Amino acid sequence: MRFRKTRELSVALAHGLNEADATVQSMPDASPVKWHLAHTTWFFETFLLRDTRSDYRLFDEKWPFLFNSYYEAEGARLARPDRGLLTRPTLEEVLSYRAHVDAALERVWPDLQENHAVLLELGLQHEQQHQELLLTDLKHLFSCNPLGPAFRKEGPAPSTSGGVELRWLEGPSGAGTFGHTGEGFAFDNEGPAHTQWLSRHALANRPVTNREWCAFIADGGYEAASLWLSDGWDWVRSEGVTAPLYWRGQGEPETHETFTLSGWQMIDLDAPVTHISFYEADAYATWAGARLPTEQEWEAAARRHAPTAGVQLDRAEAVQPRAESPEGDFTSLYGNVWEWTGSAYRPWPGFRTAPGAVGEYNGKFMSNQFVLRGGSCATPRGHVRATYRNFFHPHQRWQFTGLRLARDL
């Protein structure tokens, strides 16, 4: 069943990792593999067993403190930057925890489906979010190792199509309905549906590529203050940023390497550029004489395409963005790279947080972040939809983040 497949994929992503791989935390924004495996289990145990089954007893009374993420209603918790200090419990013990909770859930499955289906679906969608985070956090960890270890040795082959020419496609204009309309699952921040006016505009038929980003670097894009937002320029100078995250090399940028989940590889010039911040995306758009799309412009285009298309996560493999297919337009609206928009992450008109701890899921983060759309190569297939709103702070770039250009007409 779908629950079992989802839970099995998380374990498969951890297969082959040693205890240290699963324990170490490379930066405060990232979490250890072991923590992801335990936290997603804590979510099911807390909200679908503890809160609905009077006869259920916690696997370990001390573990909620370790594996609660940010739910204030659930009380005290381990500080996020300290998750990498959890040498105990071991990975084996965490896997036993998962098996224990899964068995308890399956024993009462008919009741959960009948009386708690919405919460059960939220738990599955939450786990899928952490599957992507597990991969991107592990990639950052391995990139910090001078040996450049591979998560999986086999990765996607470099593109041979020669790339797809950039074309501009006019998007829908006028009054439109945006946000989740109530059919199927959606996170709370995707609704309610509302009306907004779109002026005439066009979107690029594909994301910006590594080849195009090399031209931006060669033209002094990281050295021209006039291209950057003030905060972005301060960030570039203070952090010494000269290229996307994980790029390295000397001389022409086309000869650089990039770190992947299969280790260090030559940059695939025709694949979408990834691991860039909002600041970088905005500066590139300015350099290109364009802008970032609004999330409504992006959503209007995406509603015409199947969210299951594109390069997304299907199995425990070394994912990496791939070059655009030459067949059709907007073939990478879903998957490949999360696309930065120019929209601040704020609530839709009429948004209300849900009661209880689950109401903390998205609403409390609606400040100082920007929206990304579309999913990435590390997003489990079937997880995203046209209304899905991801969000990050403007300097963050360890996720598979890229951009698609827009312009006014």
Side-chain angles (χ1 to χ4, degrees):
M1 60 180 173
R2 181 163 157 262
F3 169 79
R4 194 171 296 151
K5 288 182 178 179
T6 300
R7 297 284 285 169
E8 288 173 351
L9 177 57
S10 298
V11 174
L13 290 172
H15 180 72
L17 301 179
N18 62 37
E19 190 71 34
D21 293 336
T23 301
V24 175
Q25 180 179 20
S26 57
M27 63 171 175
D29 283 340
S31 296
V33 167
K34 187 167 64 178
W35 189 91
H36 286 296
L37 295 174
H39 166 70
T40 50
T41 304
W42 167 87
F43 190 96
F44 281 112
E45 181 183 53
T46 300
F47 300 124
L48 279 155
L49 290 174
R50 185 203 68 182
D51 287 357
T52 69
R53 314 298 302 181
S54 60
D55 59 343
Y56 180 78
R57 296 294 176 267
L58 295 179
F59 181 81
D60 190 302
E61 295 284 346
K62 297 179 181 178
W63 285 20
F65 175 82
L66 302 181
F67 301 124
N68 174 12
S69 54
Y70 52 69
Y71 295 91
E72 297 286 349
E74 288 298 317
R77 59 201 175 279
L78 182 71
R80 181 173 183 172
D82 294 339
R83 292 172 184 170
L85 300 178
L86 295 177
T87 57
R88 306 292 175 90
T90 65
L91 177 59
E92 182 179 1
E93 289 171 321
V94 167
L95 293 176
S96 295
Y97 176 39
R98 290 180 65 88
H100 171 87
V101 170
D102 288 354
L105 288 167
E106 293 192 18
R107 282 195 295 270
V108 295
W109 194 256
D111 175 68
L112 294 178
Q113 285 189 308
E114 181 177 355
N115 298 308
H116 307 285
V118 173
L119 196 54
L120 181 61
E121 183 63 30
L122 178 62
L124 288 171
Q125 298 281 340
H126 170 257
E127 178 121 5
Q128 289 182 314
Q129 288 181 315
H130 279 271
Q131 289 166 349
E132 178 162 12
L133 288 167
L134 185 156
L135 284 174
T136 51
D137 292 355
L138 184 67
K139 181 176 181 177
H140 187 272
L141 171 65
F142 280 3
S143 76
C144 297
N145 188 323
L147 298 177
F151 163 68
R152 299 283 189 269
K153 291 183 179 180
E154 296 298 325
S159 58
T160 58
S161 64
V164 173
E165 181 182 359
L166 186 146
R167 296 193 302 109
W168 293 99
L169 304 174
E170 182 168 0
S173 57
T177 299
F178 301 95
H180 184 62
T181 58
E183 297 181 7
F185 175 83
F187 289 112
D188 57 356
N189 66 352
E190 297 177 51
H194 62 287
T195 301
Q196 183 156 333
W197 183 271
L198 292 185
S199 298
R200 289 189 62 210
H201 66 279
L203 297 182
N205 62 320
R206 58 160 175 76
V208 171
T209 66
N210 288 316
R211 187 185 305 276
E212 290 165 330
W213 202 270
C214 288
F216 172 68
I217 295 174
D219 197 42
Y222 283 94
E223 301 163 9
S226 60
L227 299 176
W228 295 79
L229 297 169
S230 177
D231 286 350
W233 185 240
D234 289 344
W235 172 78
V236 164
R237 291 187 297 171
S238 64
E239 300 297 323
V241 178
T242 60
L245 185 65
Y246 304 133
W247 283 30
R248 73 176 185 184
Q250 302 293 327
E252 297 298 321
E254 290 87 348
T255 66
H256 289 191
E257 292 180 304
T258 185
F259 189 77
T260 75
L261 284 165
S262 297
W264 287 101
Q265 296 184 349
M266 295 300 299
I267 293 170
D268 184 349
L269 293 174
D270 295 317
V273 66
T274 191
H275 298 299
I276 58 170
S277 68
F278 171 84
Y279 295 138
E280 290 168 284
D282 184 83
Y284 180 94
T286 300
W287 174 79
R291 60 172 173 81
L292 299 180
T294 68
E295 58 173 321
Q296 291 89 352
E297 290 169 343
W298 190 97
E299 183 176 322
R303 285 181 179 275
R304 302 177 176 184
H305 299 270
T308 54
V311 181
Q312 300 179 44
L313 179 67
D314 293 301
R315 61 191 66 86
E317 60 184 350
V319 293
Q320 185 70 5
R322 302 177 193 174
E324 188 86 357
S325 168
E327 301 175 359
D329 294 314
F330 289 149
T331 57
S332 285
L333 269 171
Y334 295 102
N336 247 345
V337 293
W338 285 101
E339 298 180 9
W340 284 107
T341 73
S343 298
Y345 179 53
R346 294 291 295 148
W348 290 145
F351 172 80
R352 297 289 184 273
T353 56
V358 294
E360 299 184 50
Y361 202 96
N362 285 309
K364 67 195 248 179
F365 301 110
M366 292 176 172
S367 175
N368 301 324
Q369 304 198 61
F370 284 84
V371 173
L372 301 98
R373 293 293 194 115
S376 80
C377 56
T379 305
R381 193 174 303 279
H383 179 65
V384 292
R385 58 205 149 264
T387 59
Y388 195 107
R389 306 174 77 199
N390 200 356
F391 50 93
F392 286 107
H393 292 284
H395 69 280
Q396 292 174 313
R397 57 182 191 158
W398 90 108
Q399 294 298 313
F400 286 102
T401 50
L403 80 154
R404 181 185 304 267
L405 296 175
R407 68 182 185 185
D408 300 314
L409 295 179

